[in-house]
Amino acid sequence: MANRIAELRQVRAQRISEARQLLDAATAAQRELTGEERTAWEAAMADEARLHDQIDTEERTARAEATLGTFDRMAEDEARSGKPGHRFQARSLQALNGGAAAAEWRTLLGTMNPELRQAWSQYMFTGEKRALQVDLDTAGGFLVTPLQVVDQLIKAIDDQVFIRQHATVLAVPNADSLGVPTLDADPADADWTAELATGNEDSTMAFGRRELHPHPLAKRLKISRTLLRKVPNSEGLAMQRLGYKFGITQEKNFLTGNGSNQPLGVFTASNYGISTSRDVATGNSATAIAMAGLINAKYALKAAYWSRARWIFHRDAVKQISLLRDESGGAGTGQFLWYPSVRDGEPDRLLGLPMDVSEYAPNTFTSGLYVGILGDFSNYWIADSLALEMQRLVELYATTNQVALIGRMESDGMPTLEEAFVRVKLG
């Protein structure tokens, strides 16, 4: 798998190099691309986008495969030590390691014994219902997900959602909401004064408060009994697909959600999140991103945030950006602003800062619309009231030889410090 990913990265780098050679040749001759050159450039960039997605898919698959067999390894570890060996890996669950007695998590922790975990695995593969009564609702056919599956599902969400990877994620199992203190206004500058004086009393500093209310999120997945019986590791496949569905929904709302019974997105102008005062359009045209617009956006963000800041664009925006050069030394002599990654684990970079490419970022290039964002996403807070459960529906789909799995969680999110973000807007 590692060799395959490395080969794909090399091919992607080659296609990008070919596209740039076409641009360099036209620039050296002080002309536009010919029709044939334009077609070749478009083909190279289309291949680059396809390879970028393929690399991402291969890496996600490798991570999913790495989780297979986890139950067996855990059982062996527990047999040797005589006690459960699980530790949370997802950030939103790490805070619960020392507080496992919370009522909301008692049921999940009860599933950690090997017998119940074996029953879960048996059910996932064959649909067989074991004669166990602990955590099993015999009337409704309800089965709580083992804790390891919960953790792996959250890891899948982390992998698939850019903002969640870099945001501040908080577990809120015991409250209806999470209060977020905000600094609405800084104090005024200090006063030069005499030795025994204290300066003028400040009247400008102001605090505010916002609340995160975790909202229900659910997805139903139907699985063929034949698939569960015949395909090895169907348990991991079902987990990965549910994680994908939960992750994509959150990605969309962390970016463009309106905050009404859903997260407030970073591309939604709001006084409760990022207001229009953090929009930068100067330097961009009405239909395209320009070098000056990107430079203005970067320097609208305080340098203190640069070490953790990253860009988010749609691939259509990246296609425009890939053509931009620093022309300060004369036409055709400057360096490209965008540097594609050629190493595993390294993101592409723009103006020296890492860049993520999301299919759910805005990509309509019209005057007054957002086309990208730069920010320190640790200042985007996510509150998870994660009553994650897996419910099986057996009789409802018996005529089609299927079993339905319903996954549920509760989550909310919003930007908490607007000065840590800058949105790129068309002029």
Side-chain angles (χ1 to χ4, degrees), residues 7-136:
E7 291 173 1
L8 290 173
R9 287 188 177 277
Q10 291 176 358
V11 175
R12 180 178 179 237
Q14 178 61 33
R15 295 298 280 155
I16 292 170
S17 176
E18 292 170 1
R20 285 189 169 174
Q21 288 173 11
L22 292 169
L23 292 175
D24 289 342
T27 301
Q30 297 183 344
R31 58 174 174 80
E32 298 292 329
L33 292 173
T34 65
E36 183 178 352
E37 288 172 336
R38 171 63 64 174
T39 299
W41 182 86
E42 292 279 358
M45 294 307 296
D47 286 345
E48 182 278 326
R50 176 181 58 78
L51 290 163
H52 181 278
D53 291 343
Q54 189 173 353
I55 291 167
D56 184 57
T57 300
E58 294 278 0
E59 290 177 338
R60 289 180 182 176
T61 302
R63 288 192 293 267
E65 288 176 344
T67 69
L68 300 178
T70 301
F71 290 146
D72 294 336
R73 292 193 298 272
M74 286 177 58
E76 293 173 1
D77 292 342
E78 291 171 4
R80 285 193 297 267
S81 64
K83 59 182 180 179
H86 178 78
R87 282 193 59 82
F88 294 116
Q89 294 173 298
R91 287 171 295 162
S92 54
L93 291 177
Q94 286 170 353
L96 297 176
N97 272 328
E104 290 83 356
W105 295 90
R106 236 178 244 134
T107 303
L108 289 176
L109 290 171
T111 68
M112 284 302 291
N113 71 73
E115 187 177 22
L116 283 175
R117 188 162 54 250
Q118 182 181 1
W120 166 261
S121 298
Q122 179 71 16
Y123 159 68
M124 286 296 293
F125 278 106
T126 68
E128 177 187 347
K129 179 177 175 181
R130 293 285 300 276
L132 296 172
Q133 298 303 313
V134 180
D135 298 323
L136 189 63

Side-chain angles (χ1 to χ4, degrees), residues 123 142-143 145 217-222 242 246 388-393 396-397 404-408:
Y123 159 68
F142 173 79
L143 185 65
T145 310
L217 183 64
K219 175 55 63 175
R220 179 175 54 189
L221 178 68
K222 292 189 293 185
L242 275 177
F246 278 96
L388 181 62
E389 61 184 26
M390 192 77 70
Q391 186 176 10
R392 62 175 182 173
L393 303 179
L396 184 60
Y397 299 103
L405 304 177
I406 300 177
R408 290 188 175 92

